[in-house]
Amino acid sequence: MSDLLKELYQEIILDHGKTPRNFGECEPFNKSADGHNPLCGDKVHLTLMVDDQGIIKDIKFTGVGCAISIASTSLMTQSLKGKSLDYANSLFQDFSNLITGKGDKLDLIGEEDSLYSLKGVGAFPMRVKCATLSWHAFKSAIND
Ligand code: ZN
């Protein structure tokens, strides 16, 4: 990976960690879930508005945590807003592959995607839970 790309990825994470997108609570919402990562102290509360066609009309979060968990949640909400639940499930799979080092098996996440900026987290096992916390909360919200 080029240094320029690495810098760009770091900037994306810093930016989303400092200025998270979709922060707050959906009003109204019809799905919600909480996630907690005791190893790091990250907490996330997700709310979603999913319509009859299974389209994620709105998704927001509140929470506290490290920069990685906040950035990852912010990036996730940005990637899922307006998308179908089917797409979200596929993206969840791709993101898991990206983070756990199976990055060669990605269908939906290209190097130009902001989610790709979290790939480097895979090298730090403790941080993997920070990056995937919100995705697991999302899963439990939609399976509720
Ligand atoms: Zn964390």
Side-chain angles (χ1 to χ4, degrees):
M1 196 185 291
S2 74
D3 285 349
L4 197 66
L5 206 51
K6 259 189 211 163
E7 265 174 45
L8 175 69
Y9 290 153
Q10 274 165 10
E11 258 173 50
I12 293 172
I13 294 171
L14 281 174
D15 177 34
H16 279 259
K18 256 193 249 173
T19 318
R21 317 301 197 273
N22 301 307
F23 198 85
E25 219 171 66
C26 298
E27 191 58 56
F29 65 88
N30 55 11
K31 297 193 182 296
S32 70
D34 292 294
H36 182 209
N37 172 19
L39 288 175
C40 182
D42 310 315
K43 282 181 182 170
V44 63
H45 175 66
L46 268 187
T47 52
L48 291 93
M49 190 66 204
V50 180
D51 75 6
D52 297 342
Q53 274 77 46
I55 304 296
I56 301 163
K57 290 299 201 185
D58 203 5
I59 174 167
K60 287 187 177 174
F61 78 103
T62 57
V64 290
C66 65
I68 296 288
S69 75
I70 298 290
S72 178
T73 311
S74 172
L75 288 164
M76 181 192 79
T77 58
Q78 210 174 44
S79 306
L80 295 181
K81 198 168 173 176
K83 300 296 199 309
S84 70
L85 292 179
D86 283 346
Y87 177 89
N89 278 319
S90 303
L91 198 64
F92 176 90
Q93 192 52 56
D94 259 24
F95 187 72
S96 300
N97 286 345
L98 179 78
I99 292 290
T100 55
K102 296 174 204 144
D104 52 329
K105 293 180 191 151
L106 305 180
D107 297 320
L108 299 172
I109 303 173
E111 281 193 16
E112 72 285 359
D113 279 299
S114 51
L115 283 176
Y116 203 92
S117 64
L118 289 159
K119 183 182 179 14
V121 170
F124 307 94
M126 290 285 288
R127 304 258 93 156
V128 167
K129 284 195 193 306
C130 304
T132 54
L133 174 69
S134 57
W135 287 88
H136 289 291
F138 171 75
K139 269 286 198 188
S140 63
I142 60 171
N143 292 327
D144 206 1

